Amino acid sequence: MAWFRQVSALKKQHHHINHPFSLLSYLSHSHYTTEAPPTQYAGLGPTRPEEKPRVVVLGTGWAGCRFMKGIDTNIYDVVCVSPRNHMVFTPLLASTCVGTLEFRSVAEPIGRIQPAISREPGSYFFLSKCTAIDIDNHMVHCQTFTDGVDTLDPWKFKISYDKLVIALGAQPSTFGIHGVEEHATFLREVYHAQEIRRKLLLNLMLSDMPGISEEEKRRLLHCVVVGGGPTGVEFSGELSDFIMKDVHERYSHVKDYIRVTLIEANDILSSFDDRLRQYATKQLTKSGVQLVRGIVKDVKSQKLILNDGTEVPYGLLVWSTGVGPSSLVNSLTIPKSPGGRIGVDEWLRVPSVQDVFSIGDCSGFLESTGKPTLPALAQVAERQGKYLAILLNKIGEAGGGHANSSNGMELGQPFVYRHLGSMATIGRYKALVDLRQNKESKGLSLAGFTSWFIWRSAYLTRVISWRNRFYVAINWLTTMVFGRDISRI
Amino acid sequence: MAWFRQVSALKKQHHHINHPFSLLSYLSHSHYTTEAPPTQYAGLGPTRPEEKPRVVVLGTGWAGCRFMKGIDTNIYDVVCVSPRNHMVFTPLLASTCVGTLEFRSVAEPIGRIQPAISREPGSYFFLSKCTAIDIDNHMVHCQTFTDGVDTLDPWKFKISYDKLVIALGAQPSTFGIHGVEEHATFLREVYHAQEIRRKLLLNLMLSDMPGISEEEKRRLLHCVVVGGGPTGVEFSGELSDFIMKDVHERYSHVKDYIRVTLIEANDILSSFDDRLRQYATKQLTKSGVQLVRGIVKDVKSQKLILNDGTEVPYGLLVWSTGVGPSSLVNSLTIPKSPGGRIGVDEWLRVPSVQDVFSIGDCSGFLESTGKPTLPALAQVAERQGKYLAILLNKIGEAGGGHANSSNGMELGQPFVYRHLGSMATIGRYKALVDLRQNKESKGLSLAGFTSWFIWRSAYLTRVISWRNRFYVAINWLTTMVFGRDISRI
């Protein structure tokens, strides 16, 4: 097998290099190098046998955060590396774009998910990007992520790990279509939702300026969503709710110009039951969402062009057509599963390399395991994070926490994914709940107000901290009583 | 008098130009020009006698918003021009920087303050900047404000007014000190508070990176506030609260490095009672705020330099030394009060020009009225807005709403300002309440927990909408129960 050859090559290299990291001087107490020479990296050196083993987590999505929540910090020191200091409760992100929920209600700081990370002397959160993984030396290379603020020059450092959990997630895929990155907005992060909200409110106000032509008004207030998966459908539903209630009341000058179009190459909500799909199509059409079957060929600053040559002028363009591997995952020379995801075995280990695990959207089962690559869903990531925390706790308890010390250990039950069903809201107090195990099997599926109620309740109990549960409930309540917030801040 | 000559010159010009605005074609029903030729401006033309008179408000601060709240929309159409679609509840802005309050809780959308603006066919809110005021032709020139978003090319238009209310506020003054604009953050708008919060949380995380030197850690976590007025003091107090509670608990690795320094050239809180000032000084020092008497000479990217040559390295620099006139106010050739503010008479009219009024921080009494220029306080602006709404309602009821139709009308009681006292919080559940009429007079002054309670209650009843009252109460409650939110979104 191709990947096996690569791994053997890596292993050979390992013996030649012979721990170059030991060139650095480490302070045993603080784990820190002080006054690292400018040509070398600073960092956290390898742990010593009498110290707690260190588990390094790359990423703060569903997988990484669920893992950190479950890991036993009496056994391990936890070091997390991510450009984002919070987890985003992605299923509710669409609701924040129109002000149904507040941004902060769907963001959970890491320090609240795993308090040890800001308290324990050997546990850290580093606001950084991982730039390379040195599997041979049990080490990751990182660089600070300041997002344009010039408070500190870029700072590079290395971290030695005993166990490495790669939970880097995925990135939105543009399928190489020209102009998407430049003109469209994705919907994966809080700042995406903020951008959508600001643009939507801006367009509502700009379309009311004196002398703007009818055509320009229609363009500014045309919201186009590309991609008919749950995110695209939920966002379209929220948007049509916002239009029917809040725009009609508060932007009455321009209410007749605003429209929502959802473009999808195939069926919307393709993973859902046929009956639910028809229900969703009917409901969305009823709420004024125009469903267009088409493939986007090109995106320009104020219009997009479909494969059949149709030009679609827009004021707001939201892109949610699916995800693909991030550039770091692409650059890794380790075995991959179909779709370019990091290949893992039944215990979520990267096979043939020591102490490396991968969970969430960035990973998939290797073909040799006979298991299918799982869908890039929050549900899968969350279950894998939970499983891996239990597995590593067990390994640590059995004394296998340190690097290269868990060889031949009995790992117990492999990871098995049981689909608990899919949910999606389609606006107007209506939602879909599909409780079937998979596309082919039979099972319960619900649509309408009851499932909308289930949908809200389910999310309310899943939003991680009590603080955010409380805020989400309060947000929903005030949206019902006072309407949505429309200040553009 | 100099200003009188300027006004006469303007008046002369007026007769020569003879309404160039009538060149444009107006649609009587929609107030809009359609298909305005590209070389001309679009806009709202003069109202006709059978239409409601139009009052144009420039600005959405305390003065403009209080005015819009009070104006009778059965008498007037209201058109508001501002680059901001919400009012900021400025006294609580300092609390949002550290997460005690949410940003949205202190922002009130204009449409909620005056619903007619988004409902009535002749009332509008334009997200634009006023670029010039043409007093002779009863007209303002505007340009759309899109803040970098390329959704629409800059769009220019003109609005004819029957009454004009200039409530443009003031802008932070830098006293010409080099580097302030570039490196410091002001604290007047919601985006300022957002910037401060993001920088503070970024510095807390960056200072925890492996290998950062002790000196650099100290610099990153040194928060310097310049200006000892209520804003500077309240922000310092909030910051020390945040450090003592939240940083100690959630950033325990770096808690010993964070410091707050407040730099002021004279006494802090100079408008307050001596006893209160001493109390504030003692309390701030006790909470760890270092008070430094000094004058800033120069600001560089990571340090500032005092007049005596002392270098002060900082990670976060907040500038709140006072305010001065904005560039538009500076450019107006109308009489000015001391300090470059728009001169007004006892009825808040700009004298010798027709139908123009000015309220809030951008205006001040003319010397000829014998009244002193009032301080740039929310309290003054709010009272003036309220007074002017009543005055214009009266004029409108008496049939003087249209342009040039209120000459010789009896205006009634002039505007009299009665100071209701000053309040400032200094952190740790402590605040100051100074109920004296002015600096020289005697009266009640309180300090401590009771006044903190009064401070909170007073603000809670003043935050304009029920929605925001509710949210501020909920924010305070959750901060007490769960601590402050530290996600950096």
Side-chain angles (χ1 to χ4, degrees):
Chain A
M1 277 176 199
W3 60 262
F4 194 72
R5 274 200 301 279
Q6 284 174 340
V7 173
S8 322
L10 281 169
K11 290 212 143 194
K12 236 179 274 164
Q13 213 183 3
H14 174 58
H15 293 293
H16 295 169
I17 292 173
N18 204 14
H19 293 283
F21 204 47
S22 55
L23 291 169
L24 296 176
S25 62
Y26 285 98
L27 281 185
S28 55
H29 285 298
S30 71
H31 297 267
Y32 276 142
T33 54
T34 48
E35 294 171 16
T39 50
Q40 286 184 339
Y41 276 60
L44 299 183
T47 56
R48 294 187 305 188
E50 70 273 20
E51 291 175 327
K52 276 195 222 173
R54 180 187 303 134
V55 51
V56 172
V57 182
L58 306 180
T60 48
W62 280 91
C65 287
R66 186 62 189 81
F67 171 80
M68 283 191 278
K69 195 183 176 197
I71 194 77
D72 187 343
T73 53
N74 292 317
I75 303 176
Y76 293 97
D77 280 335
V78 182
V79 173
C80 176
V81 177
S82 171
R84 186 175 83 183
N85 87 335
H86 56 272
M87 181 195 145
V88 181
F89 197 80
T90 41
L92 292 181
L93 197 55
S95 300
T96 63
C97 300
V98 294
T100 311
L101 290 179
E102 287 309 320
F103 299 117
R104 254 161 235 294
S105 307
V106 303
E108 193 76 59
I110 305 306
R112 214 141 68 200
I113 294 171
Q114 179 47 269
I117 220 157
S118 46
R119 283 189 199 148
E120 294 295 315
S123 291
Y124 296 96
F125 170 75
F126 295 133
L127 190 79
S128 302
K129 277 191 164 165
C130 173
T131 52
I133 302 175
D134 181 353
I135 286 168
D136 302 316
N137 296 302
H138 270 69
M139 195 158 72
V140 291
H141 296 223
C142 308
Q143 182 171 338
T144 52
F145 180 76
T146 59
D147 202 11
V149 183
D150 67 340
T151 193
L152 186 76
D153 294 331
W155 184 262
K156 290 178 178 183
F157 57 95
K158 291 176 184 173
I159 309 165
S160 292
Y161 57 81
D162 289 298
K163 307 288 175 202
L164 177 66
V165 178
I166 307 176
L168 289 162
Q171 64 181 30
S173 56
T174 64
F175 304 104
I177 298 165
H178 176 259
V180 177
E181 293 265 10
E182 204 180 337
H183 305 296
T185 309
F186 302 115
L187 187 47
R188 312 249 317 153
E189 302 283 348
V190 172
Y191 65 84
H192 292 146
Q194 285 171 327
E195 196 185 316
I196 290 172
R197 186 189 168 110
R198 286 183 64 83
K199 239 186 213 173
L200 182 64
L201 294 176
L202 180 65
N203 288 349
L204 275 164
M205 289 186 279
L206 287 180
S207 62
D208 200 15
M209 293 288 163
I212 296 277
S213 71
E214 296 278 305
E215 195 189 336
E216 191 70 348
K217 266 190 210 198
R218 278 210 181 82
R219 177 189 70 76
L220 278 169
L221 296 179
H222 190 201
C223 308
V224 176
V225 183
V226 180
T231 307
V233 167
E234 292 200 345
F235 176 66
S236 307
E238 282 282 351
L239 205 53
S240 72
D241 255 21
F242 174 66
I243 291 167
M244 283 193 294
K245 284 189 224 138
D246 300 78
V247 174
H248 276 236
E249 188 180 328
R250 299 185 201 175
Y251 298 91
S252 57
H253 300 144
V254 295
K255 66 179 165 33
D256 299 328
Y257 295 92
I258 191 163
R259 283 175 308 140
V260 183
T261 300
L262 176 59
I263 301 177
E264 165 62 52
N266 304 300
D267 278 330
I268 62 163
L269 298 174
S270 56
S271 66
F272 280 76
D273 181 291
D274 268 352
R275 206 171 53 80
L276 291 182
R277 229 155 53 210
Q278 281 159 21
Y279 178 83
T281 307
K282 208 178 102 192
Q283 284 297 330
L284 285 175
T285 311
K286 218 163 125 184
S287 342
V289 177
Q290 200 195 349
L291 298 173
V292 170
R293 197 172 282 229
I295 295 169
V296 177
K297 194 172 73 181
D298 194 9
V299 177
K300 301 196 182 297
S301 85
Q302 303 187 345
K303 66 181 178 194
L304 59 81
I305 294 143
L306 296 182
N307 248 358
D308 63 4
T310 315
E311 298 199 344
V312 184
Y314 66 82
L316 173 72
L317 178 60
V318 175
W319 196 266
S320 64
T321 55
V323 293
S326 64
S327 56
L328 178 62
V329 170
N330 272 333
S331 75
L332 294 176
T333 53
I334 50 177
K336 301 280 170 72
S337 79
R341 293 156 76 171
I342 296 169
V344 291
D345 67 11
E346 295 93 323
W347 294 273
L348 308 179
R349 298 180 299 185
V350 177
S352 313
V353 290
Q354 285 289 319
D355 300 319
V356 180
F357 303 80
S358 183
I359 51 178
D361 292 1
C362 70
S363 75
F365 286 121
L366 284 166
E367 277 171 9
S368 57
T369 61
K371 293 189 174 191
T373 298
L374 296 168
L377 291 177
Q379 203 177 149
V380 175
E382 198 259 348
R383 227 74 63 72
Q384 289 184 332
K386 189 177 169 187
Y387 171 87
L388 189 59
I390 295 170
L391 181 65
L392 283 190
N393 288 344
K394 205 173 111 182
I395 291 173
E397 269 166 27
H402 281 278
N404 302 309
S405 64
S406 58
N407 288 341
M409 199 171 267
E410 177 55 54
L411 297 180
Q413 285 298 314
F415 176 74
V416 177
Y417 176 66
R418 228 181 99 85
H419 189 63
L420 284 184
S422 310
M423 295 194 289
T425 170
I426 46 175
R428 301 179 83 193
Y429 304 106
K430 298 211 160 45
L432 314 174
V433 174
D434 189 340
L435 297 175
R436 300 171 307 153
Q437 280 279 324
N438 59 54
K439 263 196 91 160
E440 283 67 41
S441 71
K442 293 198 177 221
L444 192 61
S445 57
L446 296 168
F449 180 80
T450 315
S451 50
W452 176 83
F453 193 79
I454 294 176
W455 177 84
R456 287 230 159 162
S457 318
Y459 281 132
L460 206 48
T461 51
R462 272 214 239 155
V463 173
I464 289 175
S465 69
W466 277 103
R467 181 201 176 98
N468 276 0
R469 272 181 221 184
F470 177 69
Y471 262 110
V472 167
I474 291 286
N475 287 167
W476 277 335
L477 182 73
T478 41
T479 297
M480 276 178 162
V481 178
F482 302 105
R484 292 174 176 84
D485 183 89
I486 52 159
S487 49
R488 183 172 175 269
I489 57 173
Chain B
M1 278 179 199
W3 61 261
F4 195 71
R5 275 200 300 280
Q6 283 174 342
V7 173
S8 322
L10 281 169
K11 290 212 144 198
K12 236 179 273 163
Q13 215 183 2
H14 174 58
H15 293 295
H16 294 169
I17 291 172
N18 202 13
H19 293 282
F21 204 48
S22 54
L23 291 170
L24 295 176
S25 62
Y26 286 98
L27 279 185
S28 55
H29 285 297
S30 72
H31 297 266
Y32 275 156
T33 55
T34 49
E35 293 170 17
T39 50
Q40 288 183 338
Y41 277 59
L44 299 183
T47 56
R48 293 188 304 188
E50 70 273 20
E51 292 176 326
K52 276 195 222 174
R54 180 187 302 133
V55 51
V56 173
V57 182
L58 306 180
T60 48
W62 279 91
C65 287
R66 186 62 189 82
F67 171 80
M68 283 191 278
K69 196 185 176 194
I71 194 76
D72 187 343
T73 52
N74 292 317
I75 303 176
Y76 293 97
D77 279 335
V78 182
V79 174
C80 176
V81 177
S82 171
R84 189 176 81 185
N85 87 335
H86 56 272
M87 181 196 148
V88 181
F89 197 81
T90 41
L92 293 180
L93 197 56
S95 301
T96 63
C97 301
V98 295
T100 310
L101 290 179
E102 285 309 320
F103 299 116
R104 254 160 236 293
S105 307
V106 303
E108 193 76 59
I110 303 306
R112 213 142 68 200
I113 293 171
Q114 180 45 270
I117 221 158
S118 46
R119 283 188 200 150
E120 295 295 315
S123 291
Y124 296 97
F125 169 76
F126 295 134
L127 190 80
S128 302
K129 277 191 166 166
C130 173
T131 53
I133 302 176
D134 182 352
I135 286 167
D136 302 316
N137 297 302
H138 271 68
M139 196 157 72
V140 291
H141 297 224
C142 308
Q143 184 172 337
T144 51
F145 179 77
T146 58
D147 203 11
V149 183
D150 67 341
T151 193
L152 187 76
D153 294 332
W155 184 262
K156 290 178 178 183
F157 58 96
K158 291 175 184 174
I159 309 167
S160 291
Y161 59 80
D162 290 297
K163 309 288 174 201
L164 177 66
V165 178
I166 307 175
L168 289 162
Q171 64 181 31
S173 55
T174 63
F175 304 105
I177 298 164
H178 176 257
V180 177
E181 293 265 10
E182 205 180 335
H183 304 297
T185 309
F186 302 115
L187 188 46
R188 312 250 314 154
E189 302 283 348
V190 172
Y191 66 84
H192 291 145
Q194 285 171 327
E195 195 185 317
I196 290 171
R197 185 188 169 111
R198 285 183 64 84
K199 239 186 211 171
L200 181 64
L201 293 177
L202 179 67
N203 288 348
L204 275 164
M205 288 187 278
L206 287 180
S207 63
D208 200 15
M209 292 290 163
I212 298 277
S213 71
E214 296 278 305
E215 193 188 337
E216 191 68 350
K217 264 189 212 202
R218 278 209 181 81
R219 177 188 71 75
L220 278 169
L221 296 180
H222 190 201
C223 307
V224 176
V225 183
V226 179
T231 306
V233 167
E234 292 199 346
F235 177 66
S236 307
E238 282 283 350
L239 206 52
S240 73
D241 254 22
F242 174 67
I243 291 168
M244 282 192 296
K245 283 188 225 140
D246 301 77
V247 174
H248 276 234
E249 188 180 326
R250 300 186 201 176
Y251 298 92
S252 57
H253 300 143
V254 295
K255 67 177 162 32
D256 299 328
Y257 294 91
I258 192 163
R259 285 175 307 139
V260 183
T261 300
L262 177 60
I263 301 178
E264 165 62 52
N266 305 298
D267 278 330
I268 62 162
L269 297 175
S270 55
S271 66
F272 281 75
D273 182 290
D274 267 352
R275 206 172 53 80
L276 290 182
R277 227 155 54 212
Q278 281 160 23
Y279 178 83
T281 306
K282 209 178 101 194
Q283 283 298 333
L284 285 175
T285 311
K286 220 163 123 185
S287 341
V289 177
Q290 200 195 351
L291 298 173
V292 170
R293 198 172 280 230
I295 294 169
V296 177
K297 194 172 71 178
D298 193 9
V299 177
K300 300 195 183 298
S301 85
Q302 302 186 346
K303 68 181 176 193
L304 59 83
I305 295 142
L306 296 181
N307 247 357
D308 63 4
T310 316
E311 298 198 344
V312 183
Y314 67 82
L316 174 72
L317 178 60
V318 175
W319 196 267
S320 65
T321 55
V323 293
S326 64
S327 57
L328 178 61
V329 170
N330 272 334
S331 75
L332 295 176
T333 54
I334 49 177
K336 301 278 170 76
S337 80
R341 292 156 76 170
I342 295 170
V344 290
D345 67 11
E346 295 94 322
W347 293 273
L348 309 179
R349 298 179 298 185
V350 178
S352 315
V353 290
Q354 285 290 319
D355 301 317
V356 180
F357 302 81
S358 183
I359 51 179
D361 292 2
C362 69
S363 75
F365 286 121
L366 284 166
E367 278 171 9
S368 57
T369 61
K371 293 187 174 193
T373 298
L374 296 168
L377 290 177
Q379 204 177 146
V380 176
E382 198 258 348
R383 227 74 63 73
Q384 289 183 332
K386 189 178 170 186
Y387 170 86
L388 189 58
I390 295 170
L391 181 65
L392 282 191
N393 288 344
K394 205 172 110 181
I395 291 173
E397 271 166 26
H402 281 279
N404 302 310
S405 64
S406 59
N407 287 342
M409 199 171 267
E410 178 54 54
L411 297 180
Q413 285 297 314
F415 176 74
V416 177
Y417 177 65
R418 229 182 100 85
H419 189 63
L420 284 184
S422 309
M423 295 194 289
T425 170
I426 46 175
R428 300 179 84 192
Y429 304 106
K430 296 209 162 46
L432 313 174
V433 174
D434 189 341
L435 296 176
R436 300 171 309 152
Q437 280 277 325
N438 59 54
K439 263 197 95 161
E440 283 67 42
S441 70
K442 291 193 179 227
L444 191 61
S445 58
L446 297 167
F449 180 79
T450 314
S451 49
W452 176 83
F453 193 78
I454 294 176
W455 177 82
R456 286 229 160 163
S457 316
Y459 281 133
L460 205 49
T461 52
R462 272 214 239 155
V463 172
I464 289 176
S465 69
W466 278 102
R467 180 199 176 99
N468 275 1
R469 273 180 219 184
F470 177 69
Y471 262 110
V472 166
I474 291 287
N475 287 167
W476 277 335
L477 182 73
T478 40
T479 298
M480 278 179 161
V481 177
F482 303 106
R484 292 174 176 84
D485 183 273
I486 52 159
S487 49
R488 184 174 175 267
I489 56 173

